[in-house]
């Protein structure tokens, strides 16, 4: 256990042995660490991702678009193992200079269009296909506001609370209390909004729900950080109702499976190149064949 007090030096230096989960893949500089081209499949959209909440947002969107009949939304989903540093390969960095999953290429344009940041992808796809973004002025604005709320709020949940509560090598009261307070405030914000609204934009399911659900839906089910009791998530009854409502959608169930590398083998479709892969290439079936 290190000293609970810390006096910053005059000049910060990188301590590669700082510890904690994910410490090995964090660094204070950008750019690629190695040359690595990315594979390209047969579909218009090429997604390079991992089944974390930020990755799940986008795979849910693709599955929802396909379920709604948008055949041009077909996609290949390639697995990027961030634990092995694959996000620092030159091909990935060419798409996403921030080296974070997901990264997306739209090959239906000439030249192809690169996209990084999951919120940007949701908005791009919604506008491209005219789907899951209300056309009514007020509802549309509401959906975009909640999308931006998620992008701004979630770092306090993941990088703040999740890190210090679940991943940091040592537990300290101050940061855990600081971020637990903020996460409970965020849950209250959502709970109040969902008290009188089926979805975040109102009565229409939208990209706002797709963005918020993988993070806060997982939080109230205990699927991330195992902090349900600590945060008393059962108090947020409207969030729980919405979590179940969104989670029951078939496209959401499929989207959760794509690029997933943890959990039950039957819930993992590590790469997705065809709709039939959900029936034939989940991890349990692949392991049975080997």
């Amino acid at each position: 256990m290190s000293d609970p007090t810390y006096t910053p030096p005059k000049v910060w230096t990188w301590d590669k042995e700082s510890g904690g989960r994910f410490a090995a893949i964090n660094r204070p500089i950008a750019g690629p660490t190695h040359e690595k081209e990315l594979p390209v499949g047969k579909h218009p959209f090429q997604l390079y991702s991992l089944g974390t909440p930020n990755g799940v947002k986008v795979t849910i969107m693709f599955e929802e678009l396909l379920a709604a009949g948008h055949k041009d939304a077909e996609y290949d989903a390639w697995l990027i193992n961030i634990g092995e540093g694959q996000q620092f390969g030159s091909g990935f960095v060419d798409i996403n200079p921030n080296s974070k999953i997901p990264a997306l290429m739209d090959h239906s344009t000439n030249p192809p269009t690169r996209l990084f940041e999951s919120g940007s992808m949701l908005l791009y796809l919604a506008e491209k296909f005219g789907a899951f973004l209300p056309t009514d002025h007020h509802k549309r604005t509401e959906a975009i506001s909640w999308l931006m709320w998620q992008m701004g709020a979630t770092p306090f949940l993941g990088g703040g609370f999740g890190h210090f509560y679940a991943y940091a090598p040592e537990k300290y009261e101050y940061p855990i209390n600081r971020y637990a307070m903020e996460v409970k405030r965020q849950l209250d914000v959502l709970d109040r909004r969902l008290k009188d609204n089926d979805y975040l934009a109102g009565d229409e399911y939208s990209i706002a729900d797709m963005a918020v659900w993988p993070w806060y839906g997982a939080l109230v089910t205990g699927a991330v950080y195992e902090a349900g009791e600590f945060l008393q998530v059962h108090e947020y009854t409207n969030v729980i109702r919405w979590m179940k409502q969104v989670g029951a959608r078939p496209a959401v169930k499929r989207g959760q499976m794509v690029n997933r590398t943890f959990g039950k083998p039957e819930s993992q479709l590590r790469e997705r190149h065809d709709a039939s892969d959900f029936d034939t290439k989940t991890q349990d079936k692949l392991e049975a064949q080997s």
Side-chain angles (χ1 to χ4, degrees):
M1 179 74 71
S2 63
D3 192 297
T5 62
Y6 169 67
T7 302
K10 289 185 177 180
V11 177
W12 181 85
T13 57
W14 182 20
D15 178 9
K16 294 184 180 180
E17 305 300 324
S18 60
R21 189 174 176 184
F22 308 119
I25 62 171
N26 292 328
R27 58 199 184 110
I29 54 176
T33 60
H34 58 282
E35 293 295 319
K36 178 68 175 180
E37 292 186 9
L38 292 174
V40 178
K42 62 182 179 180
H43 295 306
F45 292 97
Q46 299 295 302
L47 179 67
Y48 306 93
S49 191
L50 182 67
T52 66
N54 284 333
V56 166
K57 297 178 203 174
V58 182
T59 50
I60 286 176
M61 179 60 166
F62 275 121
E63 293 300 326
E64 290 283 13
L65 288 168
L66 292 169
H70 297 281
K71 296 180 180 180
D72 290 342
E74 266 294 355
Y75 70 108
D76 291 275
W78 303 91
L79 181 65
I80 297 296
N81 190 325
I82 63 174
E84 297 177 359
Q86 293 178 358
Q87 69 276 31
F88 299 119
S90 57
F92 190 93
V93 176
D94 284 344
I95 303 175
N96 188 347
N98 198 37
S99 293
K100 303 289 185 181
I101 63 95
L104 178 65
M105 289 296 295
D106 179 1
H107 289 271
S108 71
T109 65
N110 187 18
T113 302
R114 78 171 187 179
L115 293 110
F116 57 95
E117 294 297 328
S118 55
S120 173
M121 295 175 196
L122 293 180
L123 188 56
Y124 178 88
L125 293 169
E127 291 182 332
K128 186 178 182 76
F129 291 100
F132 302 110
L133 185 61
T135 56
D136 173 81
H137 168 74
H138 293 96
K139 293 179 182 179
R140 174 187 170 88
T141 303
E142 194 74 19
I144 293 174
S145 292
W146 283 107
L147 172 64
M148 298 304 164
W149 177 87
Q150 184 275 312
M151 301 298 288
T154 303
F156 292 97
L157 168 57
F161 175 76
H163 175 77
F164 286 106
Y165 183 82
Y167 300 143
E170 299 166 341
K171 298 287 192 292
Y172 291 114
E173 181 179 8
Y174 174 78
I176 291 174
N177 281 351
R178 166 67 180 88
Y179 290 114
M181 177 179 63
E182 171 60 14
V183 170
K184 285 184 70 67
R185 188 193 68 81
Q186 292 176 3
L187 285 169
D188 194 39
V189 169
L190 290 174
D191 204 62
R192 290 169 185 264
R193 172 61 182 170
L194 293 166
K195 180 180 179 180
D196 299 314
N197 296 278
D198 284 344
Y199 301 105
L200 290 172
D203 59 357
E204 292 186 47
Y205 174 67
S206 73
I207 57 174
D209 303 288
M210 298 180 205
V212 176
W213 186 87
W215 281 103
Y216 295 88
L219 182 66
V220 297
T221 62
V224 293
Y225 313 135
E226 297 182 351
E229 182 178 6
F230 180 75
L231 296 172
Q232 292 290 279
V233 297
H234 68 274
E235 297 173 350
Y236 306 100
T237 56
N238 301 308
V239 177
I240 292 172
R241 184 272 307 163
W242 165 83
M243 175 273 296
K244 293 178 179 178
Q245 186 174 344
V246 173
R249 298 177 66 91
V252 172
K253 294 180 179 180
R254 290 193 299 274
Q256 289 183 86
M257 297 171 64
V258 180
N259 296 144
R260 186 181 177 95
T261 60
F262 55 92
K264 296 180 179 179
E266 60 268 27
S267 73
Q268 302 177 34
L269 182 62
R270 297 189 177 183
E271 288 194 356
R272 187 264 192 218
H273 303 291
D274 189 85
S276 63
D277 291 348
F278 290 100
D279 298 320
T280 61
K281 294 185 179 179
T282 52
Q283 196 62 19
D284 60 321
K285 295 181 175 65
L286 295 180
E287 290 174 359
Q289 296 171 8
S290 61

